[in-house]
Amino acid sequence: MRGMAADKVVKAFAVTAGIALSVMPGRAVWADNLTDAFIGAYNTSGLLEQNRALLRAADEDVAIALAALRPIINWSVNINQEYTKTRSGSVVTTTNPARFFSGLTLTQLLYDGGASVLGKQSAQETVLATRQSLIDIEQQVLFRATTAYLGVLLQEETVQIRQNNVDLSSEELRASNDRFEVGEVTRTDVALSEAQLASSRADLADARGDLSTAQAEYLNAVGKLPGRTAGQPSLPNLPRSQSDAIGLAQRNHPAILSAQHQVRAFDLIVRQQRAGLGPNVSLGANAGVRENFDDDDYQNDAGLSLNFNQPIYAGGRLAATVRRAMATRDSSRANLLNVQKDITQGVTDAYVRFETATASLTASTERVRASQVAFDGIREEATLGARTTLDVLNAQQDLLDAQLSEVLSRTERSLAAYQVLQAQGLLTAERLGLAVQIYDPTLYYNLVKKAPAQISKQSKDLDRVLKALRRD
């Protein structure tokens, strides 16, 4: 049964590794919507891989702390050369025996005031804190994917608007030339139209450059170049009020949960350091063979000892160690308060940003409608001689500004909505229901938490897991 369980663990890690390898830059894999961007970022993020490795290192700290409660067995070889000169009356005797010892030594902690147990508990709290930090990193990775996707979408729409403006400016230039030929306008009007067209072309070039920059960021964040985007993503379900969002964030955000576990870990370390000031009792044993190089004599040695130690004075190091642990604990408590305040502010900022973007989008949409009506009217009036070329160009610029403002507001609203999710601690692959192999932090921990020996079957299972993670 244990072998089957280990195989499942290895397969789970192997699948994760396989998915990550299957989506790499340069391959013809196209992300058309925000969900695809999420999946690409989750599967290819080096930042996630880095922090998963840090979590596995924290898992091993639990095994190391547990090992302090177990017997320590060493194979020992000792070669000893002595020199002794003895005088008894007028007789002087000199000896220089050479001895060889080979055998096993054992040390077992019997009592340390609970310091080792507290050390293990502290390591476990650190593991829980690191898991929450990993979730927070996951949120950062997915939000960066959101920003990258919406950035590409914004620049694509901007390029399209700029291109339409170039086409419109070309039409206006032709119309100005036609009216100039029949004497309806002056050369100045034609020059104004030429300047407008040149400016539109320059703005289009800038927009295409911004699109290339946005695509480069998308490649970095998602792991592949974007295809044609599918448009604005649907908005996620958001809380009914700002206070509801703050309440959920205070209970659920991984940064707060991580800080809480860190406080508990440092509390345990303070208790551990204080316990270390008390007595320490250990059992020692050894068994082996001792030989003399001077002759063929040997003897079988075996011994058993009970050792008691009580720290009394170490130059002030003992008290300083306790005070240092207390200061670190106090720092972690202050950090928890800061994190809670930062999360509250983050939710408030994101929620206000979403509401502002929503209102701005409503106003921008109405502005586009009104600007379009005004432009069409002024353009028609210009054909009848009631408006100048400058009036038409100004109306065209107003319409362009309104269209760009609408696109920007729509993108801002989508980005703010997902920022609200992140601020609440809800922007994770599991909560989003992404079609990915979710990384399970308990798989590796369950293999190492009992500190398996190197020669055990469980240790060999761990080697297979690590090989799958390294993707050798």
Side-chain angles (χ1 to χ4, degrees), residues 186-223:
T186 66
R187 174 58 67 181
T188 301
D189 295 293
V190 175
L192 285 173
S193 298
E194 290 174 342
Q196 178 71 13
L197 176 58
S199 176
S200 299
R201 287 172 174 169
D203 291 338
L204 176 60
D206 289 340
R208 286 173 174 167
D210 292 339
L211 176 58
S212 296
T213 301
Q215 290 171 337
E217 166 61 16
Y218 187 95
L219 173 62
N220 192 0
V222 178

Side-chain angles (χ1 to χ4, degrees), residues 55-358:
L55 175 57
R56 294 195 296 273
D59 293 342
E60 296 292 355
D61 286 338
V62 176
I64 293 171
L66 176 62
L69 299 169
R70 292 178 174 175
I72 299 174
I73 302 175
N74 291 313
W75 175 51
S76 177
V77 176
N78 179 262
I79 299 175
N80 185 19
Q81 176 71 56
E82 297 181 0
Y83 176 82
T84 304
K85 184 175 182 180
T86 305
R87 176 170 181 156
S88 179
S90 60
V91 179
V92 178
T93 304
T94 302
T95 59
N96 54 348
R99 297 186 178 90
F100 169 83
F101 172 81
S102 176
L104 298 177
T105 62
L106 177 146
T107 303
Q108 170 65 63
L109 176 67
L110 298 181
Y111 176 79
D112 64 353
S116 297
V117 173
L118 291 169
K120 176 191 172 186
Q121 293 172 351
S122 174
Q124 290 172 330
E125 288 293 338
T126 301
V127 166
L128 296 177
T130 309
R131 287 182 186 178
Q132 295 299 325
S133 296
L134 177 59
I135 295 175
D136 203 19
I137 293 295
E138 179 182 330
Q139 288 206 128
Q140 295 174 28
V141 168
L142 295 181
F143 187 71
R144 184 181 180 185
T146 305
T147 304
Y149 174 84
L150 292 173
V152 170
L153 180 60
L154 171 63
Q155 296 308 324
E156 285 179 347
E157 293 178 335
T158 300
V159 167
Q160 185 60 49
I161 293 173
R162 294 290 188 188
Q163 181 62 61
N164 292 340
N165 192 53
V166 168
D167 296 339
L168 187 59
S169 297
S170 297
E171 293 178 7
E172 288 301 320
L173 177 59
R174 285 193 295 270
S176 295
N177 282 322
D178 291 342
R179 289 196 294 272
F180 175 74
E181 292 295 333
V182 298
E184 293 181 358
V185 297
T186 66
R187 174 58 67 181
T188 301
D189 295 293
V190 175
L192 285 173
S193 298
E194 290 174 342
Q196 178 71 13
L197 176 58
S199 176
S200 299
R201 287 172 174 169
D203 291 338
L204 176 60
D206 289 340
R208 286 173 174 167
D210 292 339
L211 176 58
S212 296
T213 301
Q215 290 171 337
E217 166 61 16
Y218 187 95
L219 173 62
N220 192 0
V222 178
K224 54 192 173 185
L225 286 171
R228 181 176 295 277
T229 55
Q232 289 288 335
S234 58
L235 297 180
N237 294 326
L238 299 180
R240 291 173 297 180
S241 66
Q242 180 178 315
S243 60
D244 289 345
I246 292 175
L248 180 58
Q250 291 293 329
R251 297 189 304 270
N252 183 74
H253 200 283
I256 293 179
L257 298 179
S258 177
Q260 289 173 343
H261 286 298
Q262 288 174 353
V263 170
R264 287 194 283 270
F266 285 119
D267 278 336
L268 290 166
I269 289 177
V270 170
R271 294 171 57 190
Q272 179 189 22
Q273 295 299 328
R274 286 173 173 166
L277 300 178
N280 181 296
V281 181
S282 63
L283 176 69
N286 65 79
V289 177
R290 190 180 304 276
E291 298 184 29
N292 292 326
F293 286 140
D294 299 336
D295 49 43
D296 295 333
D297 296 341
Y298 72 89
Q299 63 185 30
N300 293 325
D301 268 0
L304 186 66
S305 62
L306 187 64
N307 304 304
F308 177 91
N309 293 292
Q310 171 62 61
I312 296 177
Y313 178 73
R317 178 182 61 84
L318 301 176
T321 301
V322 174
R323 291 194 300 269
R324 181 181 183 277
M326 294 173 64
T328 305
R329 177 202 59 194
D330 295 342
S331 173
S332 69
R333 290 176 176 174
N335 177 66
L336 174 58
L337 294 176
N338 290 332
V339 170
Q340 290 172 331
K341 292 178 181 178
D342 289 343
I343 295 303
T344 298
Q345 180 182 351
V347 174
T348 301
D349 293 347
Y351 206 89
V352 170
R353 181 182 183 185
F354 175 75
E355 292 180 329
T356 302
T358 301

Side-chain angles (χ1 to χ4, degrees), residues 374-387 392:
F375 173 72
D376 292 340
I378 292 175
R379 194 181 191 189
E380 182 65 25
E381 292 170 2
T383 62
L384 301 176
R387 293 282 187 169
V392 175

